[in-house]
């Protein structure tokens, strides 16, 4: 079963401790090796993206074929048929948890703490860093926005799969992979390891796309995954 969620204040402390110490060097190491999409030009972007898309497909296909996926699905709450429903139910809560982590961090380090009278303005894109707060708080808040966006796509794909009765084992495997991509995603985001974060995002997106298109075109898509 998924690990219990730590109190949001504890999550904020852990990320702050690591993001302000040696792990800040991690982002710099990746960038020094060219493993970054920061200030990415047109040619580099279009050279990297097909590789990342290929890695996303390879990851999803490997996952679906692996015995590990069956074990992880079995460890999820509920039986196989309920796994996609659990994922759909949990994703909005995960977004809220990420928002609370950012809120707790602001309460701890911002000069005026968390300004509830202008909470949305204080956490608006760009405002957290502009006010002199640690950049990782801004990135966790951005991860929350991204999770809401991913949840919208997930709901659409899950609806298609449910209506067309995608096989329960494949549906559960893809939903579980999406779940863990979304759980892991905020970590490289907070640490500013942008290429890793983008690869995890793309893998989760690809998994949700396969949920819908495997249901729509089973004779074409399912052989690519199993």
């Amino acid at each position: 079963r998924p690990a219990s969620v730590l109190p949001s204040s504890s999550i904020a402390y852990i990320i702050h401790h690591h993001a302000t110490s040696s792990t800040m060097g991690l982002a710099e190491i990746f960038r020094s090796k060219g493993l970054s999409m920061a200030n990415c030009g047109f040619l580099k972007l279009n050279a990297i993206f097909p590789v990342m898309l290929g890695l996303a497909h390879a990851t999803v296909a490997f996952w679906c074929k692996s015995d590990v996926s069956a074990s992880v699905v079995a460890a999820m709450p509920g039986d196989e048929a309920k796994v996609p429903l659990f994922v759909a139910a949990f994703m909005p809560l995960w977004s809220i948890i990420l928002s609370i982590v950012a809120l707790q961090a602001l309460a701890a380090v911002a000069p005026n703490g968390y300004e509830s009278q202008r909470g949305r303005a204080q956490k608006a894109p760009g405002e957290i860093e502009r006010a002199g707060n640690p950049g990782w708080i801004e990135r966790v808040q951005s991860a929350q926005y991204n999770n809401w966006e991913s949840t919208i796509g997930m709901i659409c794909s899950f609806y298609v799969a449910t209506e067309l009765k995608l096989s329960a084992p494949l549906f559960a495997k893809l939903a579980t992979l999406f779940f863990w991509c979304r759980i892991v995603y905020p970590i490289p985001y907070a640490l500013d390891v942008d290429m890793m974060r983008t690869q995890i995002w793309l893998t989760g997106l690809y998994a949700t796309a396969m949920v819908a298109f495997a249901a729509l075109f089973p004779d074409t898509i399912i052989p690519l995954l199993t």
Side-chain angles (χ1 to χ4, degrees):
R1 294 179 184 273
S4 299
V5 176
L6 289 169
S8 55
S9 57
S10 299
I11 298 173
Y13 171 79
I14 291 167
I15 297 176
H16 178 69
H17 174 74
H18 288 285
T20 55
S21 58
S22 61
T23 50
M24 286 305 294
L26 187 62
E28 295 168 3
I29 290 169
F30 272 77
R31 290 197 175 102
S32 70
K33 304 297 184 182
L35 299 174
S36 171
M37 299 180 75
N39 304 317
C40 191
F42 179 83
L43 291 177
K44 181 178 179 180
L45 177 64
N46 286 279
I48 290 174
F49 182 75
V51 176
M52 298 181 78
L53 185 60
L55 285 173
H57 171 76
T59 301
V60 172
F62 175 81
W63 171 262
C64 290
K65 295 172 184 176
S66 171
D67 292 337
V68 173
S69 61
S71 299
V72 177
V73 168
M76 297 287 282
D79 58 31
E80 184 179 73
K82 290 183 179 178
V83 167
L85 299 176
F86 168 77
V87 174
F90 187 80
M91 280 301 109
L93 296 178
W94 185 233
S95 296
I96 293 167
I97 289 167
L98 292 173
S99 179
I100 292 172
V101 169
L103 182 154
Q104 292 278 4
L106 285 172
V109 305
N112 297 322
Y114 173 60
E115 301 172 26
S116 63
Q117 72 276 18
R118 54 182 295 273
R120 289 184 181 272
Q122 186 185 27
K123 295 193 293 180
E127 284 302 315
I128 293 175
E129 281 194 275
R130 210 165 7 245
N133 297 301
W136 72 264
I137 303 176
E138 178 96 46
R139 293 189 290 273
V140 168
Q141 182 69 14
S142 296
Q144 182 234 159
Y145 298 145
N146 184 274
N147 202 66
W148 283 117
E149 294 161 1
S150 295
T151 299
I152 293 169
M154 176 209 68
I155 291 169
C156 296
S157 292
F158 282 20
Y159 174 78
V160 172
T162 301
E163 285 294 301
L164 296 178
K165 296 179 172 53
L166 180 64
S167 71
L170 182 58
F171 196 175
K173 287 180 179 181
L174 290 169
T176 300
L177 179 59
F178 171 77
F179 173 85
W180 284 111
C181 283
R182 296 314 312 173
I183 295 299
V184 171
Y185 177 81
I187 298 172
Y189 208 154
L191 300 178
D192 202 20
V193 185
D194 61 279
M195 186 168 283
M196 184 184 297
R197 174 247 300 179
T198 302
Q199 186 65 58
I200 293 169
W201 166 80
L202 186 59
T203 301
L205 176 65
Y206 194 89
T208 52
M210 291 301 100
V211 167
F213 286 98
L216 285 165
F217 309 108
D219 293 340
T220 303
I221 301 299
I222 291 177
L224 299 176
L225 301 177
T226 59

